[in-house]
Amino acid sequence: MQDVRKALYVGSRSDGTLVQRPMSPHLQIYRRRLSMILSISNRITGVIATGGAALGIFWLNAAAKGEKSYTTASKVARNPLSRLVLFGWIVSVVYHTVGGIRHLIWDSGHRFDKEEVNKDGEVAVRVTVGVSVVLTALLCLVGRRRAKKRG
Amino acid sequence: MNAYEPHVDVMRSHLGRVRGLGVGHSGAEHWWGERASSVVLLPLSTWFVVQMFRLGGASRADVIKWGGKPINATLLIALIITTFYHARLGLQVIVDDYVHGHAYLPMRLLIKLGTFLLGLLGVISVVKLVIAHDSTK
Amino acid sequence: MVELRLPHNSTIGVGKTVLAPEGAKNVRTFRIYRWSPDDDRNPVMDSYEVDVDVIGPMVLDAIIHIKNEIDSTLTFRRSCREGICGSCAMNIDGENTLACLKPIKSIEGDIKIYPLPHMPVVKDLVTNLDGAYAQLRSIQPWMKADTAPPPDKERLQSQKERSKLDGLWECILCFCCTTSCPSYWWNGDRYLGPSVLLAAYRWIADSRDEHTGERLDGLEDTFKLYACRTIMNCTQTCPKGLNPAKAIGHIKELQLARKL
């Protein structure tokens, strides 16, 4: 701990000698409410979304560079591992968007009550799952149709 | 390993410690930037999802035809810039929370640089697609 | 890098167990965090079996019973026993609350009691709150008005103006909210925390105060105010049912309104 709170951790024994005080447990013991999990997940999915966006830029770069680079990029994108990554990225972006809308609602001054927060949290999870499933299904469908056309 | 010997280093008053160096007089711009960019990203990312269906598995010729249209190029560049601006603000906040001490400033600079370069690469790629499109005409 | 794990001297071991006396009918186990500066060891969890039929309904009744009848070295803060002084704030069953308002019946299984999270432990369930008190003082929680008050009556305030203070004046400064906030855990030296920000908003929202601009100036800082990430642990845990997250939201709105 390099902050000024470090000084509060020095106490003294009954005989006056100094002793280092322990820190009370936090993450280790605090109840994991849905709101807390959703909040940290918003941060995690934001980082994943950024990573995916970076990969997207590389794909765009490959398309702009030339035919050979684009063919390589397309081959990599068709790899089952890449599809898994794409799926994970889609779910992250959907979740982060839903969570983001929740934050925007709070920032505009609404839905702050404890009951409302908890209810909205459950709705957010359901919407995320629903939209992710629909999007992925559509993408698979379109992808399969295009692959058939390619022959 | 040396046993840590507790000793009193700080005798400044609690109020003095808490007041610290005073206020930085900033924060509202960053906070507003996060919100404004996320609002702009809502319609832009919806548009992008629709376009992703068009572009998935497409040939390079198709991509150039699509990217060469001014409206697509404009919206794509807007999406890229807004995305990496939003990402920069978000990552900065993460560094503020978890990184303290000597690593703090370098990490902040790294994030600014990283997101800027990625955004720039994206913009230049789109411009190149537009040029490639014009040259096929 | 922020320390997500506890320092070496803070990891918790297993302490002693005290079984219920003969003939106890309704036995519940209380597992309580213990550490004394005179110990030469890390903190431990002691287990006390208590017949809850012979004591009052709240967790505070149980720990007072333990201190009186079983282990007089158990140390904790307490005073009013009715949820108004804020002394007995601690982490019970995973959430910060007042021991005097937490019914034992509302908890399933063993009742786990820890001190308020991420704070220096003075002894057992008592934490050092000097930093938090200093933060409260730093926002100047008193009336600041240049207009002289009327000589024969109080400063006037309409019912509508007074209603703005509802949900703010009732704070008992127990610091359950502040010590429930992960942002305060990682940056409590610079972030003021929900309790202090609620107190700051109480004065910003008061129509009789005339230094609103200065108060907002004093909060316009990346860490002091904007380290709030709207995690919402504060509102979830407040034992008085207050909403610090909402108050902080109002402050942010006002900061923006000044700039746009």
Side-chain angles (χ1 to χ4, degrees), chain C residues 42-97:
Chain C
N42 275 22
V44 295
M45 293 298 279
D46 279 354
S47 291
Y48 303 92
E49 286 187 356
V50 174
D51 182 1
V52 298
D53 280 348
V54 307
I55 58 171
M58 303 301 182
V59 173
L60 181 65
D61 297 316
I63 57 179
I64 288 176
H65 171 85
I66 293 169
K67 187 176 176 69
N68 287 345
E69 311 293 337
I70 308 173
D71 184 349
S72 62
T73 62
L74 180 63
T75 307
F76 48 91
R77 289 190 176 113
R78 86 284 177 267
S79 182
C80 74
R81 101 270 182 262
E82 62 182 29
I84 195 65
C85 73
S87 305
C88 63
M90 53 187 76
N91 185 289
I92 302 172
D93 195 32
E95 270 188 321
N96 294 351
T97 187

Side-chain angles (χ1 to χ4, degrees), chain B residues 107-126:
Chain B
M107 277 302 288
R108 271 184 81 120
L109 288 173
L110 202 71
I111 282 167
K112 282 205 169 95
L113 190 67
T115 51
F116 175 70
L117 286 177
L118 280 168
L120 190 62
L121 178 60
V123 169
I124 290 179
S125 300
V126 175

Side-chain angles (χ1 to χ4, degrees), chain B residues 40-121:
Chain B
V40 168
L41 275 173
L42 283 173
L44 276 177
S45 52
T46 313
W47 168 85
F48 178 69
V49 166
V50 171
Q51 302 309 309
M52 234 172 86
F53 282 103
R54 283 214 201 138
L55 291 176
S59 69
R60 184 163 180 261
D62 284 335
V63 174
I64 289 176
K65 203 163 127 192
W66 176 88
K69 290 208 189 95
I71 183 75
N72 289 336
T74 306
L75 288 175
L76 189 57
I77 287 179
L79 176 69
I80 290 168
I81 292 177
T82 317
T83 298
F84 285 100
Y85 175 63
H86 183 83
R88 169 178 130 178
L89 294 175
L91 292 172
Q92 208 145 286
V93 150
I94 294 176
V95 166
D96 284 349
D97 275 353
Y98 301 137
V99 181
H100 305 128
H102 295 298
Y104 183 59
L105 261 178
M107 277 302 288
R108 271 184 81 120
L109 288 173
L110 202 71
I111 282 167
K112 282 205 169 95
L113 190 67
T115 51
F116 175 70
L117 286 177
L118 280 168
L120 190 62
L121 178 60

Side-chain angles (χ1 to χ4, degrees), chain A residues 2 4 6-11 18-20 40 43 46-47 49-50 53-54 57-68 70 74 78 86 89-90 93 96-97 100-101 103-104 107 134-135 138-140 142-143 146 150, chain B residues 4 6-8 10 14 17-18 31 35 38-39 42 45 48-49 52-61 63-64 76 80 83-84 86-87 90-91 93-94 97-98 100-102 115 118-119 121-126 128-129:
Chain A
Q2 285 174 318
V4 294
K6 207 170 166 196
L8 297 174
Y9 283 83
V10 178
L18 294 179
V19 68
Q20 183 71 358
I40 190 66
R43 182 168 272 193
V47 174
T50 309
I57 296 290
F58 295 143
W59 178 90
L60 198 62
N61 171 52
K65 206 165 154 195
E67 195 63 51
K68 213 164 74 167
Y70 184 71
S74 300
R78 267 198 287 277
L86 181 65
W89 182 75
I90 290 174
V93 173
H96 190 80
T97 306
I101 293 173
H103 266 91
L104 286 173
D107 294 332
V134 166
L135 267 181
L138 281 174
L139 259 174
C140 286
V142 169
R146 217 166 259 148
R150 258 198 311 269
Chain B
Y4 171 73
H7 49 274
V8 179
V10 182
H14 291 296
R17 290 179 224 177
V18 157
W31 188 84
R35 273 71 193 166
S38 54
V39 168
L42 283 173
S45 52
F48 178 69
V49 166
M52 234 172 86
F53 282 103
R54 283 214 201 138
L55 291 176
S59 69
R60 184 163 180 261
V63 174
I64 289 176
L76 189 57
I80 290 168
T83 298
F84 285 100
H86 183 83
L91 292 172
V93 150
I94 294 176
D97 275 353
Y98 301 137
H100 305 128
H102 295 298
T115 51
L118 280 168
L121 178 60
V123 169
I124 290 179
S125 300
V126 175
K128 191 151 188 290
L129 283 177

Side-chain angles (χ1 to χ4, degrees), chain C residues 11-12 15 52-53 67 127 130-131 140-141 171 175-176 191 249:
Chain C
T11 50
I12 306 166
V52 298
D53 280 348
K67 187 176 176 69
T127 60
D130 288 343
Q140 303 188 336
C171 176
F175 291 104
C176 281
Y191 174 44

Side-chain angles (χ1 to χ4, degrees), chain C residues 75-143:
Chain C
T75 307
F76 48 91
R77 289 190 176 113
R78 86 284 177 267
S79 182
C80 74
R81 101 270 182 262
E82 62 182 29
I84 195 65
C85 73
S87 305
C88 63
M90 53 187 76
N91 185 289
I92 302 172
D93 195 32
E95 270 188 321
N96 294 351
T97 187
L98 299 171
C100 63
L101 292 182
K102 183 75 178 172
I104 298 170
K105 278 214 174 81
S106 72
I107 304 167
E108 278 176 23
D110 291 351
I111 294 103
K112 294 196 274 269
I113 306 177
Y114 292 94
L116 292 175
H118 205 288
M119 296 296 273
V121 176
V122 175
K123 186 177 178 185
D124 292 346
L125 300 171
V126 175
T127 60
N128 181 296
L129 292 169
D130 288 343
Y133 292 144
Q135 285 170 325
L136 178 64
R137 191 175 160 199
S138 74
I139 55 113
Q140 303 188 336
W142 49 79
M143 178 82 75

Side-chain angles (χ1 to χ4, degrees), chain C residues 173-215:
Chain C
L173 300 172
C174 67
F175 291 104
C176 281
C177 60
T178 301
T179 53
S180 75
C181 176
S183 198
Y184 191 81
W185 294 346
W186 317 137
N187 290 306
D189 55 329
R190 297 174 67 182
Y191 174 44
L192 292 176
S195 178
V196 170
L197 288 172
L198 185 110
Y201 184 63
R202 179 254 174 278
W203 291 104
I204 289 168
D206 196 325
S207 60
R208 301 165 294 175
D209 184 89
E210 291 170 355
H211 285 233
T212 314
E214 270 175 37
R215 294 185 185 280

